[in-house]
Amino acid sequence: MSIRRRLARFNRVFANRLLGPTLPALPGFGAVHHRGRRSGRPYRTPVMVFRDGELYVLALPYGSDSDWVKNVLAAGGCDLRTRGRGVRLVEPRVYENDSRSDIPAVVRWALKRLGATEFMALRPADADRGPHRHQGEST
């Protein structure tokens, strides 16, 4: 089992239950509220979140094959709670960015150590509609 998978399991079983309720209040963190694809069960997943213009960028340190990522993609969006605010996010796009250029330097180092190069960009549901392309996204 890779270090990323072991860390994901540790976080799911222990850390998220202890720190999960307080993380969304901290800068750079939030909680994604989503529903299971098959069960319809509601879930709350702590995430690292950053802004890139009008887009919200979520780091995917365990990769895009995580269940919560699949749930958000299948639903076409999610609710995000960060710094005491809630926002509905839509049009999820997963992309790879080896340079991690969207991420503030403070956390770039940790994501590099984890080998995290995948991210998800979403726009607020109430944002002005139009063609949007994220800087790390290829055409």
Side-chain angles (χ1 to χ4, degrees):
M1 183 183 289
S2 74
I3 184 104
R4 285 172 40 173
R5 286 284 120 205
R6 285 194 303 261
L7 183 59
R9 181 174 167 78
F10 173 81
N11 281 340
R12 186 176 58 249
V13 174
F14 298 108
N16 290 351
R17 292 184 185 176
L18 295 174
L19 301 174
T22 59
L23 274 180
L26 300 175
F29 291 94
V32 168
H33 295 262
H34 56 96
R35 292 201 170 267
R37 297 179 305 288
R38 287 175 243 131
S39 69
R41 180 179 168 198
Y43 291 96
R44 178 190 50 80
T45 303
V47 295
M48 287 183 274
V49 61
F50 309 96
R51 295 294 301 264
D52 185 17
E54 76 168 23
L55 298 176
Y56 285 79
V57 177
L58 310 179
L60 306 180
Y62 312 124
S64 59
D65 61 337
S66 298
D67 281 332
W68 76 266
V69 174
K70 292 176 183 178
N71 291 343
V72 171
L73 290 170
C78 62
D79 292 314
L80 175 70
R81 186 93 182 143
T82 182
R83 300 182 96 178
R85 296 181 323 135
V87 62
R88 176 74 187 149
L89 300 175
V90 295
E91 298 178 8
R93 293 184 313 269
V94 173
Y95 66 96
E96 193 164 324
N97 184 344
D98 293 335
S99 69
R100 298 163 197 86
S101 59
D102 321 14
I103 304 302
V106 175
V107 254
R108 195 176 300 150
W109 180 84
L111 291 174
K112 185 175 182 177
R113 298 278 300 171
L114 285 171
T117 60
E118 290 184 288
F119 301 89
M120 179 186 290
L122 302 102
R123 70 168 186 82
D126 60 358
D128 193 26
R129 295 213 42 127
H132 298 286
R133 201 178 95 210
H134 189 271
Q135 73 181 30
E137 189 178 345
S138 60
T139 55

